[in-house]
């Protein structure tokens, strides 16, 4: 099976129903893992460091506190963070320069096929993974040279203080500026906005992907309607929450993890999951990195059930090990995108389609981006 086919198979196998269903089944199975520290010291002990890309802000703080510190304590390997908005451009630049300074990065699903084909990733050493991890994580999530790190959803978030009598419940409500007046925000990311525009225009979730030219025309026509009401096109993940808290926005698209982190701290923010855009992000060991062996050990460590639960606690972005559900607070489970009610409301992005090349040699994502930039310039 090719990497691209693996990507498509991954998304088919880790569907909303199969993910939640396998979680329920595993919850009833005996938990066979040893204590994290003892297992790590036995199999993953090492020295030196591992250089890991991260997104900065609360994400990096959470992963360091809940995962990396425990990894260092258990293995003796220090974790060095490098931060940025996205890893892919810098990974490609380092490969072209012939010097890979990082060891491990988060790679978006739509970027994975081309980068894998270009030989940018090392094969994942699954012999280091604990048997419990291999049981808890579906095989389709363990590709030859990447493993699912987490699933994230871009959602509609709003300031509860601004909507006391009637609350927005859909992207159609986001577009309804008469019933729900107030400043709005959207990401500068085209694939999310096109998806939301189609939802607002009444396209059923099952028909969202793939994006034909007709659907794109429909989406951009709908975006024309909301464009005058967008006061902020945000780019950094922490912006939407801060803008809501500052009352600069009343509704905006937002990463589910950022909104959940704020909600757990008592912020007056609410989430509308309906029509959210669900994406997958991979762990990838970068070929030519200075500490590849340590990177393999970190991936093995973070995919154990307890570590996976800690990753979720630190980031609010659940990974694929369903055994983590046994280690998470019961009051958190209903708020995560692996909750059945939420999983059935969001729409999985067709990342394989976005990565596919068109007749002109460009990917569908490139084509989307070109249309987006042209539209923004109008």
């Amino acid at each position: 099976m090719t990497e691209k086919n693996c990507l498509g198979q991954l998304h088919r196998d880790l569907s909303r129903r199969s993910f939640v269903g396998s979680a329920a089944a595993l919850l009833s199975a005996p938990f066979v893992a040893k204590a994290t520290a003892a297992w790590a010291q036995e199999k993953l002990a090492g020295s030196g460091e591992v250089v890991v890309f991260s997104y900065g802000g609360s994400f990096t703080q959470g992963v360091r506190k809940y995962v990396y510190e425990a990894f260092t304590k258990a293995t003796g390997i220090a974790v060095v963070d490098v931060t940025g908005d996205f890893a892919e451009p810098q990974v490609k630049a380092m490969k072209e320069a012939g010097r890979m300074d990082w060891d491990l990065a988060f790679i978006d699903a739509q970027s994975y096929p081309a980068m894998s084909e270009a030989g940018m990733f090392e094969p994942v050493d699954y012999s280091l993974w604990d048997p419990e991890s291999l049981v808890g994580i579906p095989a389709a999530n363990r590709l030859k040279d990447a493993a699912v790190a987490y699933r994230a959803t871009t959602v509609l978030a709003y300031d509860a203080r601004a909507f006391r009598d009637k609350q927005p419940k859909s992207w159609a409500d986001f577009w309804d500026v008469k019933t729900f007046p107030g400043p709005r925000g959207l990401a500068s990311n085209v694939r999310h906005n096109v998806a939301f525009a189609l939802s607002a225009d009444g396209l059923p979730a099952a028909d969202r992907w793939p994006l034909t030219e007709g659907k794109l025309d429909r989406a951009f026509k709908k975006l024309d309607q909301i464009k005058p009401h967008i006061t902020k096109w945000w780019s950094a993940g922490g912006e939407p929450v801060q803008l809501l808290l500052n009352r600069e926005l009343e509704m905006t698209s937002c990463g589910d993890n950022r909104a959940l982190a704020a909600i757990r701290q008592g912020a007056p923010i609410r989430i509308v999951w309906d029509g959210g855009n669900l994406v997958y992000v991979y762990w990838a060991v970068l070929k030519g990195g200075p500490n590849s062996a340590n990177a393999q050990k970190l991936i093995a460590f973070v995919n154990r059930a307890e570590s996976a639960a800690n990753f979720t606690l630190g980031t609010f972005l659940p990974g694929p090990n369903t055994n983590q559900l046994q280690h998470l607070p019961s009051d958190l489970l209903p708020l995560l995108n692996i909750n059945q009610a939420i999983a059935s409301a969001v729409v999985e992005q067709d990342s394989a389609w976005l990565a596919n090349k068109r007749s002109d040699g460009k990917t569908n994502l490139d084509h989307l981006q070109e249309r987006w930039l042209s539209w923004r310039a109008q």
Side-chain angles (χ1 to χ4, degrees), residues 24 111 208 244 258 275 283 295 304 336 355:
S111 301
R208 179 183 290 181
L244 288 172
R258 302 282 188 168
W283 289 105
R304 294 198 70 249
L336 297 173

Side-chain angles (χ1 to χ4, degrees), residues 91 107 111-112 115-116 118-123 145-146 284-287:
V91 172
I107 303 296
S111 301
Y112 163 76
M115 296 177 73
S116 174
M120 297 187 186
F121 310 137
E122 293 281 358
D145 56 358
V285 177
L286 305 177
K287 183 168 288 187

Side-chain angles (χ1 to χ4, degrees), residues 107-308:
I107 303 296
D108 285 351
Q110 69 271 4
S111 301
Y112 163 76
M115 296 177 73
S116 174
E117 188 175 337
M120 297 187 186
F121 310 137
E122 293 281 358
V124 177
D125 185 359
Y126 291 108
S127 70
L128 294 173
W129 288 40
D130 187 79
E132 176 274 329
S133 300
L134 301 176
V135 170
I137 300 174
N141 290 258
R142 295 180 265 114
L143 306 186
K144 177 182 177 182
D145 56 358
V148 172
Y150 61 85
R151 43 190 276 150
T153 309
T154 300
V155 297
L156 192 166
Y158 65 90
D159 181 356
R161 298 167 297 183
F163 302 101
R164 296 184 183 276
D165 298 326
K166 187 174 184 180
Q167 296 77 40
K169 299 184 183 301
S170 67
W171 284 104
D173 290 343
F174 183 91
W175 256 255
D176 186 354
V177 296
K178 292 183 178 179
T179 305
F180 301 97
R184 287 153 160 76
L186 283 174
S188 54
N189 189 316
V190 58
R191 54 196 168 90
H192 297 316
N193 296 332
V194 166
F196 301 149
L198 290 172
S199 284
D201 202 44
L203 185 72
D207 297 333
R208 179 183 290 181
W209 300 94
L211 297 173
T212 62
E213 286 301 309
K215 290 178 188 176
L216 287 179
D217 292 342
R218 180 176 175 179
F220 279 103
K221 184 178 180 180
K222 193 68 175 177
L223 284 165
D224 286 338
Q225 298 174 10
I226 201 65
K227 189 176 187 180
H229 305 280
I230 302 300
T231 59
K232 178 65 177 180
W233 299 96
W234 58 267
S235 56
E239 286 185 87
V241 165
Q242 195 59 51
L243 291 167
L244 288 172
L245 293 177
N246 293 347
R247 311 197 85 156
E248 295 178 57
L249 294 178
E250 293 183 1
M251 279 194 279
T252 180
S253 59
C254 183
D256 60 346
N257 63 314
R258 302 282 188 168
L260 285 174
I263 290 170
R264 295 284 283 183
Q265 295 174 6
I269 293 174
R270 301 293 181 267
I271 291 175
V272 176
W273 291 98
D274 187 54
N277 196 48
L278 173 68
V279 301
Y280 293 83
V281 177
Y282 302 126
W283 289 105
V285 177
L286 305 177
K287 183 168 288 187
N291 311 285
S292 294
N294 286 343
Q296 298 281 5
K297 292 177 179 180
L298 179 53
I299 289 183
F301 180 88
V302 76
N303 276 288
R304 294 198 70 249
E306 291 180 59
S307 300

Side-chain angles (χ1 to χ4, degrees), residues 15-16 44 61 100 104 115 121 149 154 160 173 184 225 239 303 341 350 356 367:
S15 65
R16 304 179 191 90
L44 303 181
Q61 294 170 12
M100 190 64 66
L104 191 60
M115 296 177 73
F121 310 137
T154 300
D173 290 343
R184 287 153 160 76
Q225 298 174 10
E239 286 185 87
N303 276 288
D350 191 344
N356 286 343
H367 177 65

